[in-house]
């Protein structure tokens, strides 16, 4: 089989990585991930490959980009304005910050930065958020429910952190700020430094000296109840079962308001049958994990399908399991060589022309549709 562009994109998990202070991805995942915070000095210098302050402020004006403006005014206290953000305070005004979510969807450099964290499964990677803060700016002490790498792009930020605890919220504020935050560690991060924080660690990042840009590589941490609700709904959409409840043994009743226990048992069995359907849960899960966010849309690809290697659009989410390939909220069954090519394509976010031409006609027809939808493009990868 021709090389499906894999090795070049994904480095070995055992090689030392500068961005992890010389630790390998394998060692990081074994000893740090979800276990403890860690500071990596001089991890990544990406300022020239990320949006400038102007670019970031322009993104915040867009309807299809999620943004927030947070201020901590000496007289009025904390305020939160949700985007689009047309006007920002002057750069010299202290204690404000603009935060832009999902920058990886709109900027190639931010998208490329996110790819460097793919030693964690894509199913867990969420987005890149970039903030710009004036002197003293920040969002106050808080906890996040997800893991995050906080990379200092330029300027300096002082981070204070404390272990997870049952923190009460300061009442009456427009943002979630914890009460009684007592930092156990404080670090000053300069350009290129990075802090990893596991979920629920309390943290407060304050800009020191203004012109402070911080990039958060955020992860998705599904919560059991959200996941169960979503999956049961999705499984229900695909599920047909025409068994009818039968109650020939129902006795005449003098308590007509009471729900029959037999009907409850029938309901339980119906749900259990749906849950037992082979692949149904995995399929619903893959569709859900690859569902584009509400603000995402695709333009038909301007590239020529008849030529070139295949690359995924930066907004495309593509995952797979043993039986399926999932892309942008849809599930496809794939076997044999087609499955191997599609799996390699998902891992490498691209596929060589040679590998594409080795796939079945049916699979190539599906890829041509994805191209028409703008989910994939063609290019010459060399
Ligand atoms: C920030 O960039 O100001 C906030 C990031 C965070 O605390 O999660
Ligand atoms: Co946070």
């Amino acid at each position: 089989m021709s090389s499906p562009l894999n090795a070049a994109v994904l480095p070995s998990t055992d090689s030392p990585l500068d961005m992890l202070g010389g630790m390998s991805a394998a060692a990081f995942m074994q000893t740090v991930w979800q276990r403890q915070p860690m500071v990596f000095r001089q991890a990544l210098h990406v300022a020239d490959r990320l949006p400038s302050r102007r670019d970031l402020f322009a993104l915040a004006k867009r309807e299809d980009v999620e943004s927030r403006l947070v201020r901590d005014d000496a007289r009025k206290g904390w305020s939160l304005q949700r985007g689009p953000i047309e006007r920002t305070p002057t750069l010299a005004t202290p204690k404000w910050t603009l935060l832009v979510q999902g920058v990886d969807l709109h900027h190639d450099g931010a998208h490329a930065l996110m790819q460097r964290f793919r030693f964690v499964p894509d199913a867990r990677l969420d987005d890149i958020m970039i903030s710009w803060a004036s002197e003293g700016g920040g969002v106050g002490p808080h906890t996040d429910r997800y893991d995050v790498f906080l990379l200092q792009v330029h300027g300096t930020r002082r981070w204070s952190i404390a272990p997870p605890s049952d923190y009460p919220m300061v009442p009456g504020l427009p943002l979630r700020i914890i009460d009684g935050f007592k930092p156990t560690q404080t670090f000053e991060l300069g350009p290129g430094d990075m802090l990893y924080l596991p979920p629920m660690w309390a943290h407060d990042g304050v800009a020191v000296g203004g012109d402070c840009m911080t990039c958060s590589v955020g992860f998705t941490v599904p919560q059991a109840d959200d996941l169960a609700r979503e999956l049961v709904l999705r499984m229900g959409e695909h599920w047909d079962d025409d068994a009818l409840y039968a109650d020939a043994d129902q006795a005449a009743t003098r308590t007509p308001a009471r729900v029959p226990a037999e009907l409850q048992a029938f309901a339980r069995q119906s749900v259990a049958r749906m849950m037992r359907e082979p692949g149904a849960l995995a399929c619903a899960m893959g569709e859900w994990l690859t569902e584009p966010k509400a603000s995402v849309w695709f333009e038909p690809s301007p590239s020529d399908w008849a030529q070139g290697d295949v690359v995924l659009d930066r907004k495309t989410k593509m995952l797979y399991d043993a039986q399926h390939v999932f892309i942008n909220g849809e599930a496809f069954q794939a076997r044999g060589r087609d499955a191997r090519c599609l799996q390699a394509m998902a891992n490498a976010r691209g596929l060589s022309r040679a590998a594409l031409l080795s796939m079945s006609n049916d699979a190539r027809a599906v890829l041509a549709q994805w191209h028409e939808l703008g989910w994939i493009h063609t290019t010459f990868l060399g």
Side-chain angles (χ1 to χ4, degrees):
M1 179 169 149
S2 49
S3 156
L5 306 174
N6 214 345
V9 181
L10 301 170
S12 149
T13 53
D14 292 321
S15 326
L17 294 177
D18 289 344
M19 64 181 271
L20 298 178
M23 194 180 264
S24 67
F28 172 81
M29 295 305 282
Q30 266 166 23
T31 60
V32 181
W33 178 249
Q34 294 246 308
R35 293 174 180 81
Q36 51 171 320
M38 188 158 284
V39 172
F40 301 100
R41 295 283 173 196
Q42 298 306 296
L44 281 165
H45 284 274
V46 286
D48 56 345
R49 276 168 275 157
L50 289 183
S52 62
R53 172 172 48 78
R54 272 174 201 280
D55 297 338
L56 192 71
F57 286 22
L59 275 175
K61 290 186 179 161
R62 283 172 49 169
E63 291 278 352
D64 60 335
V65 176
E66 199 188 319
S67 59
R68 287 168 290 158
L69 176 67
V70 174
R71 301 183 72 166
D72 181 13
D73 186 89
R75 278 183 304 122
K76 297 187 207 142
W78 288 101
S79 67
L80 165 72
Q81 184 190 338
R82 295 201 178 274
I85 308 289
E86 287 297 338
R87 285 171 61 83
T88 48
T90 64
L91 303 185
T93 307
K95 292 194 158 191
W96 65 270
T97 179
L98 179 77
L99 305 108
V100 181
Q101 216 70 49
V103 181
D104 52 293
L105 299 173
H106 305 285
H107 190 275
D108 279 337
H111 177 73
L113 173 63
M114 194 148 118
Q115 307 313 300
R116 302 184 70 153
F117 294 84
R118 291 183 76 213
F119 50 84
V120 182
D122 288 346
R124 289 279 270 107
L125 258 174
D126 187 14
D127 77 337
I128 288 211
M129 191 266 283
I130 301 185
S131 68
W132 186 93
S134 68
E135 169 64 41
V139 296
H142 64 283
T143 56
D144 293 315
R145 302 159 80 97
Y146 48 83
D147 315 77
V148 65
F149 286 94
L150 297 149
L151 171 65
Q152 195 57 25
V153 183
H154 56 73
T156 304
R157 190 180 284 277
R158 184 178 308 116
W159 286 102
S160 307
I161 66 170
S165 178
D166 239 344
Y167 296 105
M169 293 297 143
V170 179
L173 293 185
L175 57 169
R176 290 169 59 83
I177 292 186
I178 56 178
D179 213 354
F181 173 55
K182 289 199 184 61
T184 53
Q185 294 175 73
T186 299
F187 329 89
E188 228 163 72
L189 262 55
D193 294 341
M194 184 166 78
L195 166 66
Y196 165 72
L197 276 182
M200 304 314 291
W201 274 73
H203 54 289
D204 186 18
V206 178
V208 180
D211 199 16
C212 168
M213 191 183 271
T214 306
C215 176
S216 304
V217 181
F219 292 82
T220 317
V221 182
Q223 184 168 304
D225 52 1
D226 291 340
L227 197 60
R229 210 171 8 248
E230 185 63 39
L231 296 185
V232 167
L233 261 176
R234 279 179 185 264
M235 287 166 76
E237 280 169 20
H238 297 294
W239 180 240
D240 287 319
D241 183 348
D242 57 8
L244 288 177
Y245 175 59
D247 57 355
D249 292 336
Q250 173 67 54
T253 182
R254 290 190 63 231
T255 52
R258 187 180 179 111
V259 179
E262 293 77 6
L263 183 53
Q264 288 174 330
F266 179 75
R268 211 167 19 252
Q269 287 151 13
S270 305
V271 174
R273 265 202 306 281
M274 182 174 84
M275 299 303 291
R276 278 199 303 271
E277 173 73 6
L281 188 81
C283 207
M285 172 99 165
E287 289 177 7
W288 178 65
L289 287 169
T290 57
E291 188 72 52
K293 291 190 177 152
S295 60
V296 168
W297 75 83
F298 293 88
E299 307 276 358
S301 180
S303 62
D304 179 0
W305 180 238
Q307 307 193 34
D309 303 308
V310 175
V311 285
L312 268 56
D313 185 88
R314 61 173 181 246
K315 294 179 188 156
T316 285
K317 294 190 186 186
M318 187 174 185
L319 302 172
Y320 63 86
D321 65 18
Q323 278 84 35
H324 310 92
V325 172
F326 310 104
I327 181 166
N328 295 334
E330 294 194 14
F332 295 84
Q333 284 202 330
R335 291 207 190 91
R337 185 179 190 83
D338 287 346
R340 285 197 299 279
C341 285
L342 290 168
Q343 291 171 4
M345 174 169 157
N347 284 324
R349 295 192 62 83
L351 191 71
S352 68
R353 189 88 202 153
L356 171 68
L357 294 177
S358 74
M359 294 171 77
S360 70
N361 287 341
D362 284 355
R364 275 192 279 156
V366 169
L367 264 73
Q369 275 171 17
W370 296 351
H371 178 258
E372 220 159 279
L373 291 167
W375 294 0
I376 59 177
H377 307 283
T378 53
T379 186
F380 290 97
L381 289 163

